[in-house]
Amino acid sequence: MFPLQQQPHMEDSADPLVTVQEMQFWLDKAVAWGQAQTVETQRDTCQHLSRLRDFTQQLLKHINSMASTTETMKRLPLIGQFLGRLCWIPSVTADASSRSLLLQCLWGLFSEHPGSAVERKANQWIRTVLCQLVTEEDAKVEPLIRQMGVAPKDYHLGVLRKRLALLQQTFEKNCNCLADKNQRCPHDDSLAVSESCIPLVTCQEAAPLINTLLQRPASCISAALSEDFLDALNSAHSRQSLLLEEQGIISLWYHNLPSLEEAVLRLLESVLANNESSPQKLEQLLEQALLPKACAQHCSMFLVVNDIFRSFLKQAERAESVHCLIHTFTRCFLRELALVPHQNSVPLKALFPQSPQSLLMPLLTLPSEMHQEAWRHHLKWLSDSLKRLTEEEEEDDRDGSRSSCLKSHHRVFEAWFLLVQCVHWVQLTAQLLVTSETQDCGPLLWLFTFYYHPTNRGHHRASQLGHAKEALDHLRALFSPLNPPLPVGSLQSVMTLLSPAQQQQQQSLSTLLIINLLVNFAVFSRQSLIGSAEVLQMVVDQSGLLNEAARVLVSLELSLNRGRHLSSDANRVQLRVQKLQHTLTHMNVPEQHC
Amino acid sequence: MEAVLQNVANAAELLAVAAHSDAVKRWDASRLSRAFHWARYCQQLHSKVHNHATMRRDLEEQLLHTNGRLQTVFPGYEGVSLSDLSRCQHLLLVGLMNNPELPIDLLKLLFDPKSPALFPHNELAGLCSGIIQCKSACTVLGVFPDSLPCGADAEVLGLVLMQRLDALLTQDSDVQPAEHFLDSVLQGCEGAAGRFCLAVAAALLTSPKSQMQTASQDFLLDWLQKPHRELQHMCSTLPTSLLRDLAKAHQKFRDSYYAVLKCWASGMEYSVDEGEWVHTSQTVTFPRLVEHFLTLLELHPGLGDNVEQELNALKCSDGDFDVRGLSVWGDLLSALRRGTVG
């Protein structure tokens, strides 16, 4: 490690940005790197590149904070020597960021109006260094390319492309490492080459070689990649300056866990930061995102992504945007998984190892893959199975040991997590709650309430279920086709359930549950469209939950478009959704003008 | 033609001003862009006209005249040749970089790919930065052993050589321009002769993709036989593995190679002091000569009988003694029969 203490004579300095000791450490490094161009010195340079960039950044700040070049030179007399040496270390000048910082430092030392001999000399030196950097050529090559009429720029580009192509061909070769460990493997150099590619991660020409390095054969035991190289790729990727193709990015995530984690966190952050973004936008975002495809190719990546989702969900179980992200992601993932060739496919059990296995297939099945007549029975079965799990949890809470309590909590959470991933069944439940007879609604309502209240915190499940029943009954009355004029009592009761005072109580029912039911009633009930729109408008207007209702309606429309709704009155439903959307949008207009 | 001559004269003036005049300090970004556009135009002009013998002559005369005129104005100006126009943009850049009057803003523009707002969308932004990146990346990857017989750099130059020859030979049935080109490269590449040999080898080892390329390779092989001894130079500097590849690819090269080896052998004298055959003028040693012969024989086993017969005949003409040091042919035969070097 380089010394961080300041030298005694620097202690009085008001500017501790760069110390003389740091400068000496990096100067010594630059001297060593400049002595010989070997694989070893190059490795050391590449491994230090990231820290060197930080130091050069500090140096630049230091230069910019000084009043003049004379003052900078006085404070850091070694600065010129250091920058001059860096200019001749190819691993430094090949790296776009390092090169840019180095040039900025040189510009920083250039005095537009030199006030002293030192500054005039510095200006002259900077011009000379820059000129040499661009125009100086190897004496063994220069006369030849001059005579042949080749511009050095074209010559170097040609040689670079050739070298890159040769290395790429080497790493594309198949090997027989596993079978014969004594045989020389063409990928033996992959560690050294990947280290040398650290400064080239943003170089357009090097992108095909980097892609090939990342996609080394899994069967090869020799093909190791440098961690620094993977970190450099990840950092370039997060700056959006990486020029890799899709498969290269997927391989980067596969080889480098932090880069995968960062990609998932970026996705989550973008969704959470933009809480208002519509489900369509999220769907578009994930359709274009590479993550579902990557997860379909590599089971281990899916497990990591799910772990991150799991921990987010534990912290914010009610965050609708996270739910939406998880279920859209899972849907995109399953679609990509179906495209993976059969011989490469992984059993579902391995992809969802923590989920209750009995629920796995029933939940992952899409409603469209089943007869409509079977939906109700299927949902009842799901509801009963989940209920059994929660009952076991309650029993363990009462009588069980700490470990059995934890186990049953875990089982219930995993079942609920799977339900969030397969939210299409919850959406269908809401629809069936509207169209079913009251006496058949028990299991459906239990399932629907469980989705919104997975934990039995404070043992309020029974009262929450009671409130849900109450909400269902009042909504049924509000949307009854036989019941004009509007039952004011039911409207009042629904508003009370949605009221802030009610919501502050511990056993309160999720507003989203009520709004979801409300929207489903508006769409699927036999009430006239005008009557439905009127009720929807009244509740939304009085509760101020316009955005929430609009989101539910959009989600509903999306799932209808995906073909879940196969009933004979598809057109009627479609029309109602559009009209109701119009109603909600229309409500939005005056608000915006207020 | 008059216009072309004037344009070439203007190009020379531009290069002279860029490198030597303090007028550059009044240049701005658009003036700089125009200069590079003009240089690019001259490169295109060169590619169109340099194969026409008459036009070449006229243009060379024009340049000679302009150079002389410019040298009186700018004493440091060295003049430009017609072939220099093929890399006019490079010469312009070198001239500007060496001119201390080039405004610092323009220097920054050339180095900064994210050029300041002052120069939006200037195609020259970061030109120098790109050159540095390319050169540096080449060096970075240069530490890894090259799997090509001639090396990546020679492959690139070999390809250029072939392209130039293809163009020159297609243009005219007269082979003189092509000969002139090769002669001038050979004469001008002092200090880089080894690289030239490698580039020629790479050109000869390129798989010909057309009849034209076969003709160019054939022409190159003929040129090697010329009395400038470039073939001998190649045989003495290139590694035997590469000579074997060349002999394998071209019958003509195999024959010439064999002829060079016989020529080297005949130029050897036995040094009693050293107890070995030494060449009177070439640096080739006897063990190296044997190695060359073995390479050739190994490549073509059928050749062995003919070579043996010929060497035997030569040995007989020397008196057919079986005593070491009397006939280079006899000693060569024994060494070859042993199949070992030295």
Side-chain angles (χ1 to χ4, degrees), chain A residues 372 375-376 428-438 440-441 444 472 476 517 520-521 523-526 565 567 569 572-573:
Chain A
Q372 271 188 51
W375 286 350
R376 197 176 305 277
L428 188 65
T429 307
Q431 180 190 330
L432 293 188
L433 276 170
V434 176
T435 54
S436 301
E437 296 299 325
T438 313
D440 298 335
C441 283
L444 295 177
L472 179 69
R476 201 183 296 284
L517 268 183
N520 272 279
F521 264 104
V523 173
F524 295 108
S525 73
R526 289 280 150 197
H565 190 83
S567 62
D569 58 355
R572 177 184 157 267
V573 168

Side-chain angles (χ1 to χ4, degrees), chain A residues 24 65 73 85 126 164 169 180 246-248 276 292 305 314 316 413 416 478 502 511 527 529 559:
Chain A
Q24 189 61 55
S65 68
M73 306 282 270
R85 284 182 182 275
I126 290 165
L164 287 164
Q169 279 166 20
D180 183 1
E246 272 192 1
Q247 215 47 50
E276 300 300 307
V305 174
K314 280 180 182 166
F413 174 80
W416 177 68
L478 281 169
Q502 181 75 20
T511 48
Q527 165 79 285
L529 180 57
S559 65

Side-chain angles (χ1 to χ4, degrees), chain A residues 55-155:
Chain A
F55 175 71
T56 326
Q57 184 79 57
Q58 289 299 101
L59 201 57
L60 180 62
K61 270 192 206 160
H62 176 94
I63 294 170
N64 290 339
S65 68
M66 294 287 120
S68 68
T69 302
T70 312
E71 194 187 336
T72 313
M73 306 282 270
K74 210 166 144 192
R75 291 278 180 92
L76 291 173
L78 297 175
I79 192 167
Q81 201 197 139
F82 170 68
L83 294 175
R85 284 182 182 275
L86 276 196
C87 284
W88 298 105
I89 296 162
S91 307
V92 174
T93 47
D95 176 58
S97 310
S98 305
R99 189 172 61 250
S100 166
L101 284 167
L102 182 56
L103 289 170
Q104 286 180 60
C105 285
L106 290 176
W107 298 134
L109 290 179
F110 192 92
S111 318
E112 293 242 12
H113 307 288
S116 66
V118 172
E119 290 176 6
R120 273 190 293 277
K121 209 173 160 190
N123 280 6
Q124 200 184 355
W125 172 76
I126 290 165
R127 278 185 186 267
T128 311
V129 165
L130 293 176
C131 178
Q132 284 175 343
L133 266 178
V134 176
T135 60
E136 207 167 81
E137 292 299 333
D138 180 355
K140 286 182 186 155
V141 174
E142 199 280 331
L144 191 56
I145 57 172
R146 178 165 29 88
Q147 289 300 324
M148 288 173 73
V150 183
K153 184 172 156 241
D154 300 333
Y155 167 73

Side-chain angles (χ1 to χ4, degrees), chain A residues 246-247 249-251 253-254 260 289-302 305 329 333 336 340:
Chain A
E246 272 192 1
Q247 215 47 50
I249 307 262
I250 293 178
S251 301
W253 288 336
Y254 181 65
L260 173 65
L290 257 184
L291 266 177
K293 190 176 181 179
C295 288
Q297 286 179 21
H298 301 285
C299 165
S300 58
M301 281 169 64
F302 181 67
V305 174
F329 180 89
F333 161 73
E336 292 290 345
V340 172

Side-chain angles (χ1 to χ4, degrees), chain A residues 485-505:
Chain A
L486 192 73
V488 180
S490 290
L491 178 65
Q492 196 53 49
S493 300
V494 171
M495 293 318 299
T496 307
L497 284 170
L498 285 170
S499 68
Q502 181 75 20
Q503 286 297 314
Q504 276 165 8
Q505 292 182 16

Side-chain angles (χ1 to χ4, degrees), chain A residues 267-325:
Chain A
L267 183 67
L268 274 159
E269 275 162 17
S270 75
V271 170
L272 288 173
N274 202 359
N275 220 355
E276 300 300 307
S277 78
S278 71
Q280 287 117 311
K281 279 192 186 148
L282 185 62
E283 186 133 335
Q284 281 166 4
L285 180 77
L286 281 167
E287 300 263 341
Q288 288 155 12
L290 257 184
L291 266 177
K293 190 176 181 179
C295 288
Q297 286 179 21
H298 301 285
C299 165
S300 58
M301 281 169 64
F302 181 67
L303 299 179
V304 170
V305 174
N306 260 356
D307 264 345
I308 298 173
F309 284 166
R310 198 175 266 119
S311 60
F312 256 77
L313 215 45
K314 280 180 182 166
Q315 287 163 27
E317 67 183 33
R318 287 195 183 191
E320 188 55 23
S321 48
V322 178
H323 286 210
C324 196
L325 170 70

Side-chain angles (χ1 to χ4, degrees), chain A residues 142-144 146-147, chain B residues 182-192:
Chain A
E142 199 280 331
L144 191 56
R146 178 165 29 88
Q147 289 300 324
Chain B
L182 288 175
D183 289 344
S184 63
V185 173
L186 179 63
Q187 279 161 21
C189 70
E190 269 173 52

